[in-house]
Structures are given as structure tokens and as C-alpha cells.
Amino acid sequence: MFKSEVYATRRAGLHKLMKSGIGLFIGNVDAPMNYPANTYHFRQDSDFLYFFGLDLQGLTGLMDFDSGKDWIFGNDIDMDDIIWMGPQPKVKELAARCGVTNIAPVSKLEGVIREAVSKKRTIHFLPPYRAETKMTLGSLLKENPCQMKTLSSTALIKAVISMRSIKEQIEIDEIVKAVAIAYEMHTTAMKMCRPGMKEQEIFGAIEGIALAKGGGTAFPIILSINGQTLHNHNHGNVLAKGRMMVTDAGAETNLHYSSDITRTTPVGGKFNRKQKEIYEIVLKANTDSVKSARPGISNRDLHLNACRVIASSLKELGLMKGDVDEAVQAGAHALFMPHGLGHMMGLDVHDMEALGENFIGYNDQVKRSDQFGLAFLRFALPFKPGHVFTVEPGIYFIPQLIDQWKSEGKFREFINYSKVETWKDFGGVRIEDNVLITENGRKLLGKPVPKTIPEIEATCA
Ligand code: GLY
Ligand code: MN
Ligand code: MN
């Protein structure tokens, strides 16, 4: 973890924003996979990590915004645990690591909450996303566990988002490390991208890199020659010439900061003409977007610029037609790019998504569109220095979507369906990078992963 002052300073910042009531941060516990003692990989809650840093099960952090005092509730382990898990630090020592001096056993937490409730003090908590946390909150607050999300504190959500959105230098350094691991994962995948290889073999090799060099993957790896399926978690295909392999993969560092990189590699390592045509368009959408990112410009503008690049280039290829601005305004390009340009990134790969996408990426002035495609943009606000986000345009030929739109005659004025028919077996291309907004512009984070056609072909060779 970082030095204890880092967490003390962050908590002091939150105390300043919140002023009164109690902030309750329930850390994660082990979750059983198929029987209680056989658990999923443990992942600590990101807000608990941000304010308390302790990467262990069964701890709760409490901030009393009136008195300014912080607490850790946790149990020292007993001899039974030591026999199976080895010796573990005492809660007192753990708490000291994040600058907290007040500790108590978990059994005391209920009394503290009951007393606060009886005094009509507000208990602020963030929206829980795990059943275990909902149960704990329900039991502490004597409320229906299923209602916990709706009872969460909007004031606390907004305060936490305002802090976590602006990355500290130590956080940026972690993300750079996470991209370095992703570099190893992606260049390994490129070298293995040969006809006859199974997707599963490449998937396993790069998942192993994430585990060997950091805290594992930041999200389940997407690796498929069916890249037209945006989040394809099936790795059952054998690679065949003529297909492209979309690899969307990132790592967590040991402190759980993430990277999220996508590269698309032709099977066999050489792009054919059609692959080059689509790849160069996505590359231009990616590099133009990165170049345009700076404080003040919004991610919605960046997204729409990328869509115009894609629509105008697809028009040159004869796949789209008509006025490009009108086509993008109407949402016709979303046949080929049905997702948003990117999202914030940090301790979560979709940073803070558990707190509610509309709190992160939208506000009273900037409302989410309900148009197919644009509606999936996770972050639409103007950028500020310290924001870290992804730029991930793509072009996909989704046969089922093409068939549906064609049969409905949708956007016939902008889409040349007879030509699109001849591309239905293409698959997809996505190119994703991780970007920091600086005072005057932006910076691509981390060791650059091969991206241009010559770079990718050279890596594969
Ligand atoms: N890794 C999923 C995404 O790019 O958002
Ligand atoms: Mn990704
Ligand atoms: Mn992403």
C-alpha cells in the first residue's frame, strides 16, 4: 500500500467535503465459489482501498464527520486461523498502516451504528454491489438488504467521485505500471496470433502474465476472432487466416490500479487489403481523439468527432453515404460503432462504476442521450487535468444487427446495405489506449503498445 499519510490526507479531504454524519465503508469479504471454503479470488472494495488501503477481508472503515475521528473495525485472527493462514498482523498494526489509531472488534460496530441512528445522525454509505455487503448493511441499519442501493448517500457518492476522478501522481505512476504489464500481455498475444492456435492458449498465456507481474487482470480478458461481439468472453475458437483477433486486456498492479488496452491483430501477422482499410480508419479515430483531448473539451465531443471520422471514412469505402454530419447526428454510424469512445479508469477499470455511471459521466447540464450508440457513452463531461480515461473506437460488422436494420429499412439514406452485405464476415476492429489529461493537453500513459500496421506486423514477425 501507499504510505499511511496518503490515506490520512484522503480521509481529511473527505471530512472537509462531508462535514456531518457517519461514513461507513464496508470492506469486502471472501465469496464462496462452490462451497464456503473454496472462494473466488479476493478483490478488496475500491473505495475502501482508496481511503484505507488495507487489502484484507472482513474490515470496516468508519469516518465520523462530526468529530473528525476515523475507525477500523476488525477482528484479530485466532489460533485456528493461524494454523491455516499463517500469522497475520493485528488490527491495531493494520490500522496504523493507514494512519488510523481507533480500532474495535467487529462486534462493536452494530452498537455504534445503533447509537448514531438513535441520535438521528445520518449514516452515509456508498451503493453496495455485493450481496454480502447488502446483508451486512441491512443487518446494521435494520433495513431490507434489497433496498440498500436506494438508501445509499448521494452526498457521499458525489464527494468520493470528486476526489477519485482527479488522479494523484502516485496513482498515475501505478497506472503506468499497469500499462507496462499490458504491453507484455499484448505483445505476447500478437506473437502467438498464428493460424491453428487456439484462442484459449493465448488467453491463458496472457492471463498468466497479468498474474505473474501484478494483481491479475483488471477485467475478464476479451480475446476473440469474433471481435464483432464487443465483450466476447468465449475463447473456444481456433485461429484461422483471414480473421482478426481482438484482444481487449489489461492488468491490475499489486495496489489494484488498472490498465485497459485493446489491439487487433490479423491472424498470421500480415494485414490483407480489407483489414488494412478498416484498421486505418479505427487508427485515425483513435489517434485524432487522443490528439484532441485536453482540459475543457468534453468526452461527448471527442466521441462525436471519432464517429465522424468513422462515418466519413466508411463513406469513402462506399459502406455509408449521404451527409456525414447528418448521419452522425441521426446515429446511423452506430451500426458500425455501437459503443461509447471511452470511460474513466483508475482503481476500477470502469472507474467508480459501482457508484453510478450517471454520477460520474453526467450532471444536471449534461444529460445522457437515449440514442442507440451514444446512450452507451459512459463519460460525457468536459475533461479536467488529472482525469484518466480510455480512448477506444472500433468498427464492427455484427451480422444480426445488420440484418435487423436492413429489414427495417433503418437509415437507408446513410447506409449502403448492398455493400455492407459483402462485409458481414469481417469481424471487428477496436484500438484502445489509456490517456491522462494534463494542464495543457494530454499524455498517452505507459509503454506504447505496437499500434500502427508496420509496428504490429513487425511484432508478429
Ligand atoms: N475492457 C472493457 C472496456 O474496454 O471497456
Ligand atoms: Mn478494454
Ligand atoms: Mn475500456
Side-chain angles (χ1 to χ4, degrees):
M1 58 193 282
F2 298 125
K3 287 188 192 139
S4 63
E5 300 87 71
V6 170
Y7 304 102
T9 304
R10 288 174 181 174
R11 290 194 305 272
L14 189 62
H15 277 283
K16 227 171 163 176
L17 291 170
M18 290 301 293
K19 298 189 180 71
S20 87
I22 281 181
L24 190 56
F25 294 85
I26 299 186
N28 282 339
V29 292
D30 275 324
M33 204 158 48
N34 51 341
Y35 55 90
N38 210 27
T39 56
Y40 287 106
H41 158 75
F42 174 70
R43 175 55 157 81
Q44 183 57 288
D45 173 75
S46 296
D47 294 297
F48 188 88
L49 279 176
Y50 186 79
F51 290 108
F52 296 94
L54 299 169
D55 196 4
L56 285 165
Q57 299 85 337
L59 300 170
T60 291
L62 185 147
M63 296 186 213
D64 185 326
F65 297 127
D66 293 288
S67 72
K69 281 191 183 155
D70 299 330
W71 293 77
I72 291 282
F73 291 83
N75 295 338
D76 286 331
I77 64 168
D78 59 19
M79 188 50 75
D80 281 357
D81 293 323
I82 291 172
I83 291 165
W84 294 98
M85 300 159 58
Q88 305 287 326
K90 299 258 188 228
V91 173
K92 190 173 172 54
E93 186 188 332
L94 291 172
R97 290 181 192 173
C98 62
V100 173
T101 49
N102 304 302
I103 58 160
V106 174
S107 59
K108 297 278 182 214
L109 182 57
E110 184 165 355
V112 171
I113 298 298
R114 298 266 31 98
E115 190 189 331
V117 169
S118 72
K119 290 182 178 160
K120 304 244 176 309
R121 298 185 65 197
T122 306
I123 314 293
H124 299 275
F125 58 90
L126 297 169
Y129 51 89
R130 285 199 184 187
E132 291 86 347
T133 315
K134 293 178 189 179
M135 297 296 286
T136 302
L137 280 168
S139 152
L140 286 172
L141 298 167
K142 306 281 179 256
E143 296 280 1
N144 179 349
C146 300
Q147 298 300 319
M148 285 301 129
K149 196 170 168 193
T150 51
L151 295 176
S152 61
S153 163
T154 302
L156 185 61
I157 291 171
K158 288 185 174 174
V160 169
I161 288 174
S162 74
M163 294 182 71
R164 281 184 59 187
S165 293
I166 307 298
K167 269 55 183 181
E168 302 158 31
Q169 187 57 48
I170 48 172
E171 298 184 284
I172 293 162
D173 295 344
E174 281 294 310
I175 296 170
V176 166
K177 284 187 214 164
V179 177
I181 304 171
Y183 174 94
E184 299 293 333
M185 295 164 76
H186 281 277
T187 50
T188 300
M190 286 173 191
K191 288 172 191 164
M192 293 178 79
C193 184
R194 297 186 301 270
M197 287 293 287
K198 289 182 189 153
E199 289 171 351
Q200 186 177 351
E201 293 176 77
I202 308 175
F203 161 77
I206 69 172
E207 175 120 6
I209 293 170
L211 287 163
K213 305 225 168 203
T217 54
F219 55 92
I221 291 171
I222 297 158
L223 185 149
S224 181
I225 52 172
N226 287 322
Q228 74 280 7
T229 302
L230 303 182
H231 281 182
N232 198 336
H233 293 139
N234 178 335
H235 309 117
N237 297 305
V238 176
L239 271 52
K241 214 162 167 53
R243 301 295 298 177
M244 301 191 88
M245 180 178 80
V246 170
T247 308
D248 184 345
E252 284 197 352
T253 61
N254 287 323
L255 299 192
H256 301 292
Y257 284 86
S258 47
S259 55
D260 183 8
I261 302 280
T262 306
R263 290 294 183 264
T264 308
T265 311
V267 177
K270 277 267 174 210
F271 287 79
N272 66 30
R273 184 184 52 80
K274 270 179 128 177
Q275 291 170 340
K276 270 187 189 162
E277 283 173 345
I278 297 299
Y279 193 90
E280 289 290 6
I281 300 170
V282 180
L283 185 62
K284 182 168 165 47
N286 169 292
T287 51
D288 280 10
S289 300
V290 172
K291 270 189 228 145
S292 310
R294 61 178 183 279
I297 187 171
S298 76
N299 198 39
R300 190 203 293 265
D301 288 341
L302 223 56
H303 170 91
L304 291 172
N305 284 342
C307 295
R308 277 189 285 272
V309 169
I310 286 172
S312 68
S313 308
L314 289 178
K315 184 176 164 182
E316 280 171 30
L317 281 184
L319 290 160
M320 290 189 74
K321 57 188 178 178
D323 184 87
V324 168
D325 289 338
E326 283 175 22
V328 169
Q329 204 174 2
H333 64 283
L335 177 64
F336 306 102
M337 180 171 149
H339 62 74
L341 185 67
H343 49 85
M344 289 239 211
M345 215 187 72
L347 273 169
D348 306 299
V349 65
H350 288 179
D351 209 23
M352 302 172 282
E353 199 160 287
L355 305 185
E357 261 186 40
N358 285 345
F359 285 120
I360 303 159
Y362 295 86
N363 60 25
D364 291 341
Q365 288 78 46
V366 183
K367 295 283 175 211
R368 190 187 282 268
S369 163
D370 57 9
Q371 185 186 76
F372 176 78
L374 189 53
F376 301 133
L377 184 64
R378 296 190 154 97
F379 180 75
L381 296 175
F383 292 118
K384 291 182 187 165
H387 279 169
V388 172
F389 61 101
T390 67
V391 171
E392 48 179 307
I395 293 180
Y396 313 88
F397 293 86
I398 306 169
Q400 297 78 2
L401 186 64
I402 294 166
D403 290 346
Q404 191 191 71
W405 281 31
K406 187 182 170 190
S407 71
E408 292 169 358
K410 195 163 170 174
F411 296 130
R412 227 176 301 163
E413 65 278 35
F414 298 122
I415 294 167
N416 186 353
Y417 282 107
S418 58
K419 184 94 189 233
V420 173
E421 279 291 335
T422 66
W423 285 75
K424 269 163 73 178
D425 63 351
F426 180 87
V429 172
R430 177 161 68 251
I431 306 174
E432 177 173 22
D433 287 308
N434 304 154
V435 179
L436 164 73
I437 295 292
T438 59
E439 288 300 326
N440 306 312
R442 94 296 314 163
K443 200 171 166 228
L444 263 187
L445 285 177
K447 187 171 178 178
V449 182
K451 183 160 82 167
T452 64
I453 289 178
E455 284 167 359
I456 290 178
E457 290 188 345
T459 307
C460 292

